[in-house]
């Protein structure tokens, strides 16, 4: 059954069950103890939600076709967000008599709402194709619309909690994605999985860059193809085959993942301080971390045995998995069952009905609505579900003061920090789960978009705060042309003061391109636009991040002050738009002390007072954009990509970097410096020589590595 034809119309009109007089809506109002009617809706009626039930593969195919028809696959800065919720059953999708996968576009999640990934089966699966391409590329690859850039901009989408059983085992399931496009709790029962799309007019497998998979089972081959970097956490590879290149092109990290054949490549350890021959290195790092120190799977929505009720009265629940320590493999919920929370009594629901929604699809939440949300969360002990949409937080910041509070987004909703404070402030110290949404900078300067704790905030080792699939964005997403004096801006994307916080797939992005930059050289953002100094600043101890991408910020991109920090997988590009080394200044965010001028800003900086820090699989890349006349030629060469102090407790492994292109010469001279003055360096150095060169570096950094003067 396809419960969306009418509901999509209702969603466009801003209506939902809470405003309706039908029995389901009335029951929802009565059962939800919220006194605020605008924070109440029945999830399957919320705008932007497709609810598919009854094993109706035609209905699921129709949902895919509807989203294709409105060009959701190319709508990179659209306000239309969608959650496709699929009830337990087996769904066979067919188009013109042949199996056809769901075509996953921007701001779209396909989510099984059974209690486990085995309850929902989608055949032949869900696929993501080259950005800018469409199904016509399957008929005619010579069409220039089938972009050779592939999926480099395939962001903000995801699949979760279902199985795939592809009848045609001769072709792989295509999932060509980059950041903010996670695979979670998926059982690939049949066929190989390919992380790029070969439907390009030059016959390559269009580039993809950066991805994340957790709690999933892969029966066939998992083939990165041209995928440049990937993290797999707590998953199970049943058929790892080195002949099929099941490690990414540049940087692969496996954490707590079981494999039949351990992923490995020969690594040049130990090494001396020198450069690879001809500034080239083809042995890229593979980090295989046996156990995940602290893990907890993302909370998820289910309607269990009520999903296919013919009466239409559905009882929604949220399953909250348990924390695991030193874990290996998937969490199927059998050993430690998740906690089940009733949505009707334990949650409030934020939807476009909760505020005033413009014709462009942006919902504004005023002061009274934000106050109501905070009252429900912090006084009435409720949790929050955010349904698909874009929400301007004009009325202030959402405060989370109660431990064990859950904020769960479906359909990748965006919260825009339009006030001067930020989006979310967490003062609770344990058990908080933030999951599945984007925090966007507004035009008012905020200290951050997310703040967890304050100075000396304690945390809980047994019940940490978790951040699952949280994305931070400093980008003009609404205007086709810039307004003078009006720029998206923040000081930092996120600041973490509380100890024992765990990040699980975080992407912090100061835009290199946005909706308003299309008329600028190379369609790139300029230095005075989309302003943000820092990505992530960590003050707390024992903070762990599995899957961290921080890109294009204008100062140090990641700054770490806390001890016992752990990072598994780091992806970072230095800002494209640096006008000069003199303009690219670096300031310690805690002390305010400015680093020596002319060195450029390292991406990843661990403070000199830190005595213990572990990181595995870190890559930093440069693309200092080459602007045409009348811009003068520039030579942007930073001293180093990382600043890592020498201490016996510091262990940073499997580092690499690449010069991607752009102005030549450009890049950075040394992989690692030991202090902000850049006088002493560790590991290999890189420096571009000409526009045709390709560079990579890798190594391990600890107190025993040889120290040498910086280049």
């Amino acid at each position: 059954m396809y419960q969306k034809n009418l509901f999509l119309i209702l969603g466009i009109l801003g209506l939902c069950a809470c405003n309706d007089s039908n029995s389901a809506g009335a029951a929802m109002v009565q059962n939800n103890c919220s006194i605020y009617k605008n924070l109440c809706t029945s999830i399957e009626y919320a705008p932007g939600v497709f609810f598919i039930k009854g094993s109706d593969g035609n209905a699921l195919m129709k949902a895919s076709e509807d989203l294709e028809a409105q060009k959701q696959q190319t709508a990179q800065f659209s306000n239309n967000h969608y959650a496709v919720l699929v009830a337990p059953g087996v769904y066979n999708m067919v188009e013109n008599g042949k199996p056809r996968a769901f075509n996953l576009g921007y701001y779209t999640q396909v989510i099984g709402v059974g209690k486990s990934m085995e309850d929902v089966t989608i055949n032949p699966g869900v696929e993501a194709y080259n950005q800018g391409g469409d199904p016509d590329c399957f008929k005619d690859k010579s069409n220039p619309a089938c972009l050779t850039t592939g999926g480099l901009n395939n962001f903000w989408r995801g699949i979760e909690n279902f199985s795939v059983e592809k009848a045609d085992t001769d072709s792989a399931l295509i999932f060509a994605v980059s950041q903010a496009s996670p695979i979670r709790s998926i059982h690939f029962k049949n066929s190989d999985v390919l992380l790029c799309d070969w439907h390009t007019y030059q016959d390559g497998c269009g580039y993809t860059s950066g991805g994340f998979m957790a709690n999933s089972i892969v029966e066939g081959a998992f083939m990165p193809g041209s995928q440049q970097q990937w993290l797999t956490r707590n998953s199970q590879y049943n058929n790892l085959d080195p002949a099929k290149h099941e490690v990414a092109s540049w940087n692969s990290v496996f954490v707590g993942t079981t494999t039949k054949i351990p992923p490995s490549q020969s690594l040049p350890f130990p090494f001396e301080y020198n450069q690879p021959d001809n500034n080239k290195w083809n042995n890229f790092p593979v980090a295989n971390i046996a156990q995940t120190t602290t893990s907890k799977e993302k909370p998820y929505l289910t309607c269990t045995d009520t999903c296919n009720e013919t009466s239409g009265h559905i009882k929604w629940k949220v399953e909250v998995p348990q924390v695991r320590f030193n874990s290996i493999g998937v969490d199927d919920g059998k050993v430690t069952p998740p906690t089940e929370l009733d949505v009707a009594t334990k949650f409030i629901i934020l939807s476009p009905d909760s505020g005033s929604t413009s014709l462009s699809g942006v919902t504004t939440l005023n002061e009274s609505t934000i106050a109501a949300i905070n009252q429900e969360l912090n006084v009435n002990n409720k949790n929050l579900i955010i349904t698909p949409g874009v929400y301007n937080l004009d009325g202030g910041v959402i405060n989370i003061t109660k431990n064990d509070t859950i904020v769960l987004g479906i359909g990748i909703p965006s919260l825009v920090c339009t006030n001067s404070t930020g989006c979310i402030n967490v003062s609770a110290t344990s058990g908080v789960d933030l999951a599945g949404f984007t925090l966007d900078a507004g035009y008012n300067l905020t200290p951050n978009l997310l703040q967890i704790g304050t100075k000396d905030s304690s945390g809980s080792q047994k019940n940490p705060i978790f951040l699952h699939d949280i994305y931070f964005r400093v980008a003009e997403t609404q205007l086709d042309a810039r307004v003078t004096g009006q720029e998206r801006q923040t000081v930092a994307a996120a600041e973490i003061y509380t100890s024992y916080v765990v990040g699980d797939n975080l992407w912090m992005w100061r835009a290199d391109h946005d909706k308003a930059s299309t008329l600028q050289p190379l369609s790139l953002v300029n230095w005075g636009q989309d302003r943000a100094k820092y990505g992530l600043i960590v003050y707390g101890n024992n903070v762990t991040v599995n899957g961290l991408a921080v890109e294009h910020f204008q100062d140090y991109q990641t700054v770490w002050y806390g001890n016992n920090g752990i990072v598994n997988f780091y992806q970072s590009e230095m800002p494209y738009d640096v006008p000069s080394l003199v303009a690219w200044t670096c300031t310690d965010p805690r002390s305010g002390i400015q680093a020596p001028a002319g060195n450029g800003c390292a991406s990843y900086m661990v403070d000199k007072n830190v005595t213990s820090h572990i990181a595995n699989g870190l890559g930093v890349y440069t693309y200092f954009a080459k602007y045409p006349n009348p811009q003068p030629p520039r030579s942007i060469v930073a001293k180093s990509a990382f600043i890592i102090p020498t201490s016996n407790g510091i262990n940073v492994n499997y580092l690499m970097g690449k010069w991607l292109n752009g102005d030549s010469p450009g890049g950075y001279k040394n992989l690692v410096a030991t202090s902000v003055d850049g006088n002493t360096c560790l590991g290999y150095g890189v420096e571009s020589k000409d526009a045709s060169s390709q560079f990579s570096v890798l190594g391990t950094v600890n107190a025993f590595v040889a120290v040498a003067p910086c280049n």
Side-chain angles (χ1 to χ4, degrees):
M1 298 177 64
Y2 179 39
Q3 293 198 357
K4 193 58 192 180
N5 291 333
L6 174 60
F7 301 155
L8 183 59
I9 296 171
L10 292 175
I12 293 171
L13 296 176
L15 303 176
C16 72
C18 283
N19 296 330
D20 204 347
S21 60
N22 64 34
S23 59
M28 191 65 191
V29 173
Q30 183 177 358
N31 291 338
N32 194 325
C33 61
S34 171
I35 62 173
Y36 303 100
K37 189 175 180 181
N38 65 340
L39 297 176
C40 158
T41 189
S42 186
I43 289 172
E44 71 273 23
Y45 285 81
V49 173
F50 290 79
F51 182 51
I52 314 295
K53 56 192 286 189
S55 294
D56 192 343
N58 291 332
L60 189 56
M61 191 69 251
K62 178 66 164 57
S64 178
E65 290 170 345
D66 285 353
L67 295 177
E68 284 182 29
Q70 72 171 37
K71 303 297 183 183
Q72 198 67 19
Q73 284 67 31
T74 58
Q76 187 174 169
F77 298 109
S78 171
N79 294 328
N80 297 322
H81 293 217
Y82 299 98
V84 181
L85 307 181
V86 186
V90 177
Y91 296 80
N92 296 310
M93 292 183 291
V94 176
E95 183 181 64
N96 298 325
K98 296 181 179 180
R100 174 76 160 88
F102 190 103
N103 187 352
L104 188 70
Y106 283 101
Y107 310 108
T108 303
Q109 275 184 300
V110 178
I111 305 171
V113 290
K115 288 205 71 169
S116 83
M117 69 178 88
E118 309 299 344
D119 291 343
V120 177
T121 299
I122 299 175
N123 300 325
V126 178
E127 295 191 320
Y129 308 120
N130 287 336
Q131 194 271 332
D134 57 41
D136 288 341
C137 294
F138 287 82
K139 303 172 185 176
D140 179 16
K141 291 197 297 184
S142 64
N143 181 354
C146 305
L147 298 179
T148 56
T149 52
L152 288 176
N153 293 332
N154 275 2
F155 314 138
W156 307 306
R157 65 196 75 195
I159 55 176
E160 188 172 322
N161 198 33
F162 58 85
S163 297
V164 171
E165 191 160 8
K166 197 166 187 251
D168 178 12
T169 58
D170 292 333
S171 63
L173 187 145
I174 295 171
F175 202 71
V177 297
S178 294
Q179 298 94 331
S181 303
I183 298 170
R184 284 189 180 272
S185 299
I186 301 295
H187 188 174
F188 297 100
K189 291 182 177 179
N190 214 340
S191 87
D192 297 337
V193 182
L194 179 64
L195 298 178
C196 58
D197 181 3
W198 53 270
H199 294 95
T200 62
Y201 70 89
Q202 291 184 347
D203 292 324
C205 200
Y207 303 116
T208 50
S209 181
F212 177 92
M213 180 171 73
N215 205 52
S216 296
I217 301 171
V218 182
E219 303 287 358
F222 195 71
M223 302 183 296
S226 62
Q227 174 62 249
Q228 294 161 351
Q229 45 224 326
W230 191 271
L231 170 70
T232 300
R233 179 187 62 71
N234 285 97
S235 293
Q236 178 179 324
Y237 283 57
N238 289 346
N239 189 35
L240 191 77
D241 182 359
K244 290 192 174 181
H245 310 291
E246 289 177 297
V247 293
S249 300
W250 297 348
N251 185 20
S252 293
V253 181
F254 299 81
V255 185
T257 293
T258 62
T259 60
K260 284 191 174 182
I261 304 172
S264 65
Q265 290 185 359
S266 58
L267 299 174
F269 298 140
F271 63 89
E272 297 177 356
Y273 181 86
N274 57 18
Q275 295 186 133
D277 291 342
N278 300 319
N279 245 350
K280 297 181 181 180
W281 197 277
N282 296 319
N283 248 345
F284 294 103
V286 177
N288 188 16
I289 314 303
Q291 298 179 332
T292 306
T293 306
T294 306
S295 64
K296 179 182 181 181
E297 299 312 318
K298 178 183 174 184
Y300 60 97
L301 193 65
T302 178
C303 47
T304 60
D305 56 354
T306 71
C307 287
N308 291 301
E309 284 281 341
T310 56
S311 66
H313 183 55
I314 295 171
K315 296 179 181 178
W316 292 100
K317 311 287 184 181
V318 169
E319 305 290 330
V320 186
Q322 302 297 312
V323 180
R324 297 196 294 166
F325 301 98
N326 300 319
S327 60
I328 300 174
V330 300
D331 180 7
D332 59 9
K334 294 178 181 178
V335 176
T336 53
T339 300
E340 187 173 86
L341 300 177
D342 179 53
V343 170
T345 58
K346 299 295 184 182
F347 283 81
I348 54 172
I349 299 173
L350 180 62
S351 75
D353 298 313
S354 303
S356 173
T357 302
S358 69
L359 292 176
S360 66
V362 177
T363 300
T364 297
L365 306 180
N366 60 25
E367 188 173 346
S368 63
T369 301
I370 298 296
I373 292 171
N374 288 332
Q375 169 79 12
E376 290 288 87
L377 295 179
N378 304 316
V379 177
N380 296 335
N381 297 317
K382 293 295 186 65
N383 305 286
L384 175 63
I385 290 174
I386 308 173
T387 64
V390 177
Y391 302 90
N392 284 345
L393 304 187
D394 280 15
V397 65
I398 295 174
N399 291 308
I400 299 174
T401 65
K402 294 288 187 179
N403 291 341
D404 302 311
T405 298
I406 296 167
V407 179
L408 175 62
I410 60 172
I412 318 174
S414 292
L415 302 179
V416 188
C417 309
T418 46
N419 61 79
S420 60
T421 305
C423 278
I424 296 179
N425 190 317
V426 180
S427 58
T429 57
S430 70
V432 172
D433 269 302
L434 306 182
F437 53 85
T438 299
L439 301 178
D440 275 295
Y443 299 124
N444 291 313
L445 180 63
T446 58
N448 50 57
L449 308 182
L450 170 67
Q451 180 168 325
I452 300 178
T454 55
K455 185 178 180 181
D456 300 325
S457 291
S458 61
S460 171
Q461 182 177 9
K462 293 183 178 180
N463 190 22
I465 292 172
F466 277 85
L467 312 176
H468 304 278
D469 301 339
I470 304 298
Y471 315 126
F472 304 79
R473 184 167 57 180
V474 186
E476 180 52 69
T477 60
Q478 301 298 320
L479 302 178
D480 293 317
R482 286 189 146 76
V483 175
T484 302
Q486 182 173 288
E487 285 295 334
R488 304 283 177 163
Q489 55 183 324
T490 189
V491 176
E495 295 183 86
I496 299 175
Y497 292 87
T498 303
S499 299
Y500 297 105
V501 173
V502 180
D504 195 49
N505 188 33
L506 308 180
W507 183 36
M508 301 173 181
W509 188 59
R510 173 187 169 252
D512 53 69
H513 66 281
D514 64 16
K515 189 173 182 179
S517 68
T518 55
L519 298 179
Q520 297 178 182
L522 301 181
S523 298
L524 297 178
V525 165
N526 286 338
W527 190 247
Q529 299 165 346
D530 296 338
R531 298 192 291 264
K533 291 172 72 72
Y534 312 103
L536 175 64
I537 307 174
V538 177
Y539 297 95
N541 296 322
N542 302 288
V543 172
T544 297
V545 185
N546 293 308
L548 175 61
V550 186
E551 300 191 291
H552 312 134
F553 288 84
Q554 296 171 292
D555 207 299
Y556 301 120
Q557 303 202 50
T558 298
V559 185
W560 211 285
Y561 296 108
N563 274 310
N564 303 316
I566 299 175
V567 174
N568 291 312
F569 184 90
Y570 182 71
Q571 173 185 336
S572 181
E573 288 181 348
M574 290 183 168
Y576 289 5
D577 50 340
V578 176
S580 67
L581 281 174
V582 173
W584 193 16
T585 57
C586 322
T587 303
D588 186 304
R590 182 166 61 181
S591 68
I593 296 174
Q594 196 167 91
N599 284 350
C601 300
S603 170
Y604 192 97
M605 194 269 275
V606 179
D607 184 68
K608 63 182 180 180
N609 295 312
V610 172
T611 58
S612 56
H613 188 87
I614 297 173
N616 298 290
L618 282 68
V620 174
Y621 316 101
T622 64
Y623 182 100
F624 295 121
K626 190 174 187 177
Y627 289 104
N629 292 329
Q631 296 273 357
R634 300 168 307 146
S635 178
I636 307 298
V637 182
K639 269 289 179 72
S640 69
F642 302 92
I643 297 175
I644 308 290
T646 53
S647 169
N648 287 333
I650 306 289
N651 200 324
V652 184
N653 303 293
Y654 308 106
L655 309 181
M656 63 89 60
K658 282 187 75 71
W659 173 76
L660 301 178
N661 208 323
D663 244 357
S664 180
Y668 51 79
K669 291 185 176 182
N670 303 279
L671 188 61
V672 180
T674 62
S675 62
V676 296
D677 60 17
N679 291 329
T680 307
C681 288
L682 303 173
Y684 291 116
V686 293
E687 182 179 6
S688 66
K689 299 296 183 185
D690 59 68
S692 64
S693 296
Q694 296 288 323
F695 307 115
S696 64
V697 291
L698 67 161
T700 183
V701 175
N702 56 45
F704 305 105
V705 175
V707 176
C710 291
N711 292 329

